[in-house]
Every structure is written in structure tokens, then in C-alpha cells.
Amino acid sequence: MLRTFAYVRPGSTSEALKQLEERGSRVHAGGTDLLGCLRDGVFEAQKVVSLSRISDLRGIEVAPDGELRIGPLTTIAEVAAHPVIQEKFAALAQAASLVASPQLRNQGTIGGNLCQRPRCWYFRSDYHCTRKGGDTCYAIGGENQYHAIFGGGACWIVHPSDTAPALIALDARVRVVGPKGARILPLEKFYVLPEQDATRETVLDPGELVIGVLVPAPAPGSKSAYRKVRARGSWDFATAGLACALATKAGKIADIRLVLSGVAPAPWRLQAVERLLIGQKIDARLVARAADAAIAGAKPLEHNGYKVPLVRGLIEEALGAVPRA
Ligand SMILES: Cc1cc2nc3c(=O)[nH]c(=O)nc-3n(C[C@H](O)[C@H](O)[C@H](O)COP(=O)(O)OP(=O)(O)OC[C@H]3O[C@@H](n4cnc5c(N)ncnc54)[C@H](O)[C@@H]3O)c2cc1C
């Protein structure tokens, strides 16, 4: 049952920040995640602050230097369909096109997709788990087929977003404002692992808002892609996915960023694998070494060991597609 809350629709970011100063206020963008959480009692809100009237927070712009600027209220469908994003930031367009269903992509926003809460069935139901401030992660000894194989510990959720790993592979930053002012930080540093704090997924403090996503112009000749594996062909969250941004020079890998989805409590960057690959020519031995390195440190739970060969396969597939001229 949805409990009663106040609902406000401020017309500017500064007005929204004022509204958010009150304890128990929650940000509402498209509402596709927030309303489910409120209805299911995952958390409560005394006041819901809708951003829907703040037109400054909507839209996609390409700066003269090629930087992509996306307002957080831009829908996921708009991101997926944008011609410049499709051409130059393909991993993001692909990831956005694979989020949920057409209805959810039309209603859900990019800001909400980056800030959404996890889908763990213990977190989403009545269990007072670690993420809700309890002292038990029920996934450890329970139904854990869709849970993490990396970065667990106090909590084994997987981060649900498809666009976040793609944006991290593209070296995106987020612009945040709050009661203490504005800051810009790499999206990679926006996410929090359970070892830092098991009760939240991002560094956002109460009252803070994401007001922009900034993606640098890709280096000439670079490419990116996002591959998502899910349990069924229809809408579903990733069981595992891989975002890859790559630049090659004279047949060698000049730069690469690899970020996994669906396997860790935050988008999982494979920096050791990247280091192994940079400066190298791709061949079958290197691909095998990279796949080994990608799964080093994986700690599958009782029912999700299948994710280990899945990650290996994602790496083999992505590197296998790199031209070997
Ligand atoms: C059936 C279903 C299937 C789904 N499948 C996928 C999938 O395959 N892949 C995937 O990536 N996602 C999936 N999702 C998640 C969906 O993409 C998110 O619900 C959506 O992106 C959230 O966007 P929203 O605008 O509706 O956010 P809201 O529901 O409005 O907000 C989500 C959270 O983010 C906070 N928030 C929103 N905007 C901001 C902001 N600008 N600053 C600070 N905090 C903010 C809210 O307070 C709330 O906690 C699925 C959801 C459903 C219901």
C-alpha cells in the first residue's frame, strides 16, 4: 500500500533543492523505480519532489568541442534514439536501447537510471537486510542466482543499470548540486561498494541532485559497444553485460576501457585487464589471458557460478571482434 506523502513540482533546480532540504523528501524523475519502492515499502517518503517542471534538466546537447551533455530528465528512449549518440557514443545508445521495455524507456530518465535502487528480491521485500541497515545479507545463504560475483561482502546486490557501465566506459562525469554547492565527479567515483557503505549505491548525500551527465568527445577512430546477456529475450535486467570503449593504432590497442554490468554492486571496471591489453596486438593467446584476468577474484555464491564463464565469454567475444589488421 502506498502511504500518504506530500507532492510538489518546483519550477527550478534551486526551488527543488529548497524542497529537498526537508527530511524524508525524495526526488521523483520518471517515477518508474521510485513509486515501486514506495508502494512496496522498501523505503518511505514524507514528500516527493517531482523534477518534471524543470525544463533546464531535460535535453541532449553536443558542445563545440564534441562533449556530449545530457540533462538527467532526458528519457532513456531519447538517449537511445539520438543520432549523434548512436554514431559517436554507440555503447550508450546500445545500452539505453536494451533497458527494460519501450514503455519504461519512454517514462524512465537517464538520471533515474543512474540513481535507481537495486533489484535484489530480499531488499525489495520485507527482509531487514544489510542494505536496509540490518546485519544480514539474505542472498548469501539464499536464492542468489542473479547476485554478485565480485565486490560483495556485506551485501551481494548487483547494480541494475545498463547505461552506467556504458557511460563509465566512455569516461563520463556527473554534475551534482546540493546544499553544500556543486561538484563534478567521474561517474566511476559516483558509485559506492558495500565495503564503503552497504546502505547506499551512490555518493549522493540527502538533498543532492544529479543535474547533468557529461561525456567527453571520443578520440578519433575510437569505437564503443555494449553487450547485454539476459535470461530471456524480452525485457530483463542483465545477468552480465560488458561495455567496451576502444581505440587502436597500427594494429595495436592504444586505449581500452572495459566495464561489466550485472556482476557486482557497482558497475565493475576491469582495470587489470585494460592494463594487460594496452599496447598489445590482439591474438588468441592475449584474448585467453585477458579472459583469465577478467574472472580473477570472482567469488560466486551457491547458485550464480554460471556468471564466471559468462564474463569470460563476454571478454572473448568483445576482443574477438577487434580488427586484427
Ligand atoms: C520492469 C522493469 C524492468 C527494468 N529493466 C531494466 C533494465 O533492463 N536495465 C536498466 O538499466 N534498468 C531497468 N529498469 C530500471 C529502470 O530503467 C529505472 O526504473 C529507470 O531508469 C528509473 O528512471 P526514472 O526516471 O523513472 O527514475 P525514478 O523512479 O523517478 O527515480 C529512481 C531513483 O533515482 C532518484 N533520482 C532520480 N533522478 C534523480 C536525480 N536527477 N538526482 C538524484 N536522484 C535522482 C530517485 O529519488 C529514485 O530513488 C527496469 C525497471 C522496471 C520497473
Side-chain angles (χ1 to χ4, degrees):
M1 245 251 308
L2 201 51
R3 295 208 180 171
T4 311
F5 51 77
Y7 181 72
V8 291
R9 290 179 74 212
S12 67
T13 303
S14 54
E15 212 186 306
L17 290 174
K18 228 183 198 117
Q19 291 288 353
L20 287 166
E21 278 171 12
E22 213 171 293
R23 257 177 87 92
S25 303
R26 300 273 176 183
V27 178
H28 174 275
T32 62
D33 179 40
L34 179 79
L35 294 179
C37 287
L38 295 179
R39 188 194 51 217
D40 296 342
V42 177
F43 52 75
E44 288 182 1
Q46 271 70 57
K47 178 162 61 174
V48 168
V49 180
S50 167
L51 305 181
S52 59
R53 278 184 59 222
I54 313 178
S55 51
D56 297 356
L57 296 182
R58 201 180 292 275
I60 299 171
E61 210 182 285
V62 183
D65 66 356
E67 183 182 66
L68 177 70
R69 297 173 186 167
I70 312 176
L73 274 195
T74 310
T75 66
I76 297 163
E78 286 164 341
V79 171
H82 195 276
V84 176
I85 300 183
Q86 287 179 349
E87 187 198 330
K88 299 207 164 124
F89 306 89
L92 176 59
Q94 290 163 13
S97 73
L98 292 167
V99 167
S101 62
Q103 293 89 336
L104 285 157
R105 292 195 291 275
N106 279 326
Q107 178 66 20
T109 65
I110 189 80
N113 193 258
L114 299 180
C115 298
Q116 61 176 302
R117 303 303 313 270
R119 289 277 153 183
C120 168
W121 38 47
Y122 296 107
F123 174 70
R124 293 265 167 173
S125 53
D126 291 339
Y127 293 82
H128 188 59
C129 67
T130 331
R131 194 147 291 268
K132 290 187 190 137
D135 57 11
T136 306
C137 172
Y138 294 93
I140 294 172
E143 295 291 331
N144 50 40
Q145 49 271 48
Y146 298 121
H147 286 77
I149 58 170
F150 297 108
C155 167
W156 290 75
I157 59 152
V158 292
H159 197 272
S161 170
D162 287 305
T163 64
L167 282 164
I168 292 172
L170 293 166
D171 204 12
R173 294 172 302 152
V174 278
R175 196 192 288 269
V176 169
V177 284
K180 292 186 200 145
R183 57 191 169 131
I184 294 181
L185 66 157
L187 184 60
E188 194 177 355
K189 298 238 160 29
F190 182 68
Y191 292 108
V192 171
L193 282 171
E195 64 189 25
Q196 295 158 266
D197 186 344
T199 62
R200 59 181 182 163
E201 296 81 51
T202 73
V203 298
L204 282 183
D205 285 327
E208 279 195 314
L209 273 178
V210 172
I211 56 160
V213 179
L214 311 170
V215 195
S222 61
K223 288 190 160 63
S224 68
Y226 179 68
R227 170 80 155 99
K228 174 175 180 177
V229 180
R230 46 191 163 183
R232 52 187 194 167
S234 173
W235 67 263
D236 213 345
F237 290 90
T239 46
L242 176 66
C244 173
L246 167 88
T248 53
K249 201 169 175 189
K252 290 184 177 169
I253 295 185
D255 198 12
I256 189 163
R257 287 169 70 98
L258 295 163
V259 187
L260 293 167
S261 60
V263 294
W268 194 251
R269 185 154 170 219
L270 296 170
Q271 272 173 308
V273 184
E274 293 167 9
R275 281 194 295 272
L276 186 85
L277 291 167
I278 289 173
Q280 305 296 317
K281 233 180 173 143
I282 294 278
D283 61 24
R285 258 188 62 195
L286 184 65
V287 173
R289 278 178 60 210
D292 283 345
I295 58 171
K299 289 200 178 97
L301 300 166
E302 191 182 351
H303 304 295
N304 67 359
Y306 71 94
K307 290 195 179 192
V308 177
L310 204 51
V311 167
R312 173 177 263 291
L314 283 166
I315 294 289
E316 288 171 352
E317 186 184 72
L319 297 179
V322 176
R324 299 189 188 191

